[in-house]
Amino acid sequence: MANIRALLVGLSRARLSLAEAGRCASIRPSLLASLGGHYTLPMPTRWFSSAGLPPHLVVGMPALSPTMNQGNIAKWRKQEGDKIEVGDVICEIETDKATLEFESLEEGYLAKILAPEGSKDVQVGQPIFVTVEELEDIKSIPADTSFGGEQKEEQPTESAPQPDVAKVSEQSSAVSRISPAAKLLIKEHGLDMSSLRASGPRGTLLKGDVLAALKSGAISSSAKEKKAPAAPSSQPTRDSQAQPATTSQKADTYEDIPNSQIRKVIAKRLLESKQTTPHLYLSKDVVLDPLLAFRSDLKEQHGVKVSVNDIIIKAVAIALRNVPEANAYWNSEKEEAQKCDSVDISIAVATEKGLMTPIIRNADQKTISAISSEVKQLAEKARAGKLAPNEFQGGTFSISNLGMYPVDHFCAIINPPQSGILAVGRGNKVVEPVVDSDGNEKAAAVTKMSLTLSADHRVFDGQVGGKFFTELALNFSDIKRLLL
């Protein structure tokens, strides 16, 4: 009877999960983007009820963004044995876009964590934890039960139980599996394979094995024996004696830097952009003095403190509004340019995990002070990894500003599917002839700033680019246009 009851419970749970999954499949991507940083999407689950184990739920890594195929476990909010209520945050998952909170849709108890905190590159659908209905059921699940999702340490799997040291050494000397990094170190230092021990799966010799041997000096004697016959004079002998110390110092300088999911996606998208998007580059120097004077007046007369970048965002947004053919994107399916309904400016923000591009939506309709406040809020959320999908997905045009660094001008890479990105350099004092009120030319010092447009040549041609820069230059020279 107990088995029949468990089977009926499992079938009921399966029907509910399928029904909920069907409802979720009809949700539009735009609605998903508006959900924010908390996700309550149906979890990839599997209900089991088998002899020896109580009814339990195996939960897989969810897809928390349209482009996510793997993720990292940033932090577990619940621990094994904790009670789980509907809506409780179970863990924080680092996706290809941001770090998001994973909420539960089921009640129960967390029986087993399959992907420990800090797990990297966990594939979507791969089991990450197991839940049960009753607290007592946790004791009925043996600790060594495998659900297919445990992150185990790399160990040789084909060796016999409790192998002796001599056997391990013999296997490692005849190993056929060598990692590329280990092979490079062996070749660089001329090491003897017979003195190395492999710790990787199936007897694979890893880079760490070679570095450990170099650091301990266990292979220095064999290296000397190899080099001794070729060193008859005293001077080469001193060189060979100094070689192990030099080798050890070089080995200590190696460091593997882990790559975040965000940086992996950025690298992939930028490569695709350069390979598939025909980049057109246009540049122009604009006089920055009217903007600086306007910024100073806002602070002194109205107590409004804004940055140069805030005013640049407004100036670019007005130029895009006046040249709507520049505020467009390339539709690959229709093979034609399509104009955007709104002016949404993406701004590049550097974070520890990579470059994020939060969006100022309808920037042409907002005041400079409103833009300034929104930029600060979005930048803080980007650096904390708390941006919601609707705050960084989309956008019609990007701005990358390196004016705070000693960078005079640069060319940025287009962020698909957008058709343009404006690279902003720093302002520099230059001397050039100007016409005074009397109509006479005289030398004067002015502040100039370099602007470089990277545009999709399928959307932008020379005429559209010229019209855009004409409007943009007018916004800088006649700053009052931004208040209209």
Side-chain angles (χ1 to χ4, degrees):
M1 291 297 293
N3 289 338
I4 295 175
R5 177 182 175 277
L7 180 60
L8 292 175
V9 171
L11 291 174
S12 176
R13 292 282 188 179
R15 284 197 298 268
L16 289 175
S17 297
L18 289 173
E20 189 67 28
R23 287 194 294 271
C24 178
S26 64
I27 299 178
R28 300 177 64 87
S30 59
L31 177 58
L32 292 178
S34 65
L35 291 176
H38 297 269
Y39 282 80
T40 56
L41 301 183
M43 300 177 289
T45 58
R46 292 179 292 171
W47 273 98
F48 295 94
S49 178
S50 57
L53 291 179
H56 57 279
L57 188 68
V58 181
V59 182
M61 171 66 76
L64 299 181
S65 74
T67 58
M68 177 182 173
N69 52 27
Q70 60 185 14
N72 303 334
I73 304 296
K75 183 179 180 181
W76 281 101
R77 296 281 194 88
K78 296 287 185 179
Q79 300 301 322
E80 293 182 358
D82 288 353
K83 171 69 174 176
I84 298 176
E85 302 287 351
V86 175
D88 284 354
V89 176
I90 302 176
C91 62
E92 295 179 7
I93 297 176
E94 180 185 300
T95 71
D96 55 347
K97 300 293 185 183
T99 300
L100 303 174
E101 296 176 337
F102 184 25
E103 296 182 358
S104 174
L105 287 178
E106 298 280 350
E107 293 183 357
Y109 293 87
L110 182 57
K112 190 173 183 181
I113 293 177
L114 306 179
E117 192 169 295
S119 298
K120 304 289 185 181
D121 301 333
V122 182
Q123 297 295 322
V124 169
Q126 179 177 335
I128 59 175
F129 66 92
V130 179
T131 64
V132 294
E133 292 183 332
E134 304 295 338
L135 182 60
E136 293 76 13
D137 292 341
I138 298 179
K139 301 177 182 178
S140 303
I141 299 180
D144 58 349
T145 304
S146 175
F147 297 91
E150 290 86 349
Q151 302 288 324
K152 297 182 178 179
E153 295 181 358
E154 294 181 345
Q155 296 178 351
T157 56
E158 296 182 355
S159 59
Q162 300 297 329
D164 55 19
V165 177
K167 188 171 183 180
V168 173
S169 177
E170 182 181 352
Q171 289 177 351
S172 63
S173 62
V175 69
S176 59
R177 295 172 178 267
I178 306 176
S179 70
K183 187 180 295 184
L184 181 63
L185 286 175
I186 292 172
K187 183 177 179 181
E188 180 180 351
H189 301 294
L191 305 181
D192 185 5
M193 283 284 298
S194 62
S195 61
L196 299 174
R197 291 183 57 184
S199 64
R202 300 186 182 183
T204 303
L205 187 65
L206 304 176
K207 175 183 175 182
D209 302 330
V210 182
L211 293 179
L214 286 171
K215 193 171 184 179
S216 63
I219 60 174
S220 58
S221 59
S222 62
K224 289 179 184 179
E225 291 174 2
K226 278 191 168 186
K227 295 185 179 181
S233 62
S234 60
Q235 183 64 29
T237 301
R238 288 198 302 270
D239 294 342
S240 64
Q241 290 175 350
Q243 183 65 28
T246 305
T247 298
S248 179
Q249 290 176 1
K250 288 183 178 180
D252 291 341
T253 61
Y254 288 98
E255 180 183 0
D256 290 331
I257 302 176
N259 210 7
S260 66
Q261 290 294 109
I262 295 176
R263 290 188 185 275
K264 290 179 182 179
V265 173
I266 291 173
K268 182 179 179 181
R269 286 177 60 84
L270 291 181
L271 179 62
E272 291 177 353
S273 177
K274 288 293 289 185
Q275 290 178 333
T276 61
T277 305
H279 281 57
L280 170 68
Y281 301 103
L282 302 171
S283 61
K284 179 176 177 57
D285 292 338
V286 295
V287 177
L288 201 58
D289 294 298
L291 185 150
L292 297 176
F294 176 69
R295 176 172 176 255
S296 179
D297 291 341
L298 287 178
K299 182 178 179 180
E300 294 177 0
Q301 299 180 12
H302 304 283
V304 177
K305 187 177 181 181
V306 297
S307 68
V308 172
N309 193 58
D310 299 331
I311 304 176
I312 292 175
I313 293 173
K314 180 68 172 182
V316 172
I318 296 297
L320 290 172
R321 184 182 66 187
N322 294 338
V323 186
E325 53 267 43
N327 190 47
Y329 69 97
W330 180 257
N331 190 319
S332 299
E333 296 181 358
K334 297 182 178 180
E335 294 188 348
E336 63 182 16
Q338 289 193 339
K339 297 179 181 178
C340 300
D341 297 330
S342 59
V343 179
D344 303 329
I345 304 295
S346 301
I347 53 174
V349 176
T351 69
E352 292 182 357
K353 296 181 180 179
L355 197 68
M356 296 296 294
T357 53
I359 303 169
I360 307 296
R361 300 194 181 274
N362 299 307
D364 59 317
Q365 302 175 16
K366 294 179 178 178
T367 63
I368 298 175
S369 59
I371 291 175
S372 178
S373 176
E374 191 169 345
V375 167
K376 292 176 183 177
Q377 295 176 5
L378 291 174
E380 289 178 1
K381 295 177 70 174
R383 296 187 180 98
K386 299 298 183 181
L387 283 175
N390 64 303
E391 292 175 325
F392 60 82
Q393 292 178 357
T396 63
F397 194 89
S398 291
I399 297 176
S400 180
N401 190 347
L402 292 180
M404 66 291 296
Y405 301 105
V407 178
D408 294 330
H409 54 80
F410 67 102
C411 298
I413 300 176
I414 298 171
N415 182 24
Q418 299 175 7
S419 64
I421 180 171
L422 187 70
V424 182
R426 67 173 178 176
N428 291 305
K429 284 284 186 181
V430 298
V431 178
E432 64 177 26
V434 296
V435 179
D436 60 15
S437 58
D438 298 330
N440 300 321
E441 280 192 356
K442 63 177 183 179
V446 297
T447 305
K448 281 200 167 184
M449 181 176 64
S450 175
L451 304 176
T452 303
L453 172 67
S454 302
D456 187 341
H457 210 342
R458 297 170 298 182
V459 178
F460 274 80
D461 54 20
Q463 181 182 12
V464 174
K467 290 172 62 177
F468 171 75
F469 265 129
T470 299
E471 288 291 327
L472 189 58
L474 286 174
N475 292 340
F476 279 98
S477 60
D478 187 5
I479 206 71
K480 293 180 182 179
R481 288 165 54 95
L482 305 183
L483 306 177
L484 299 178

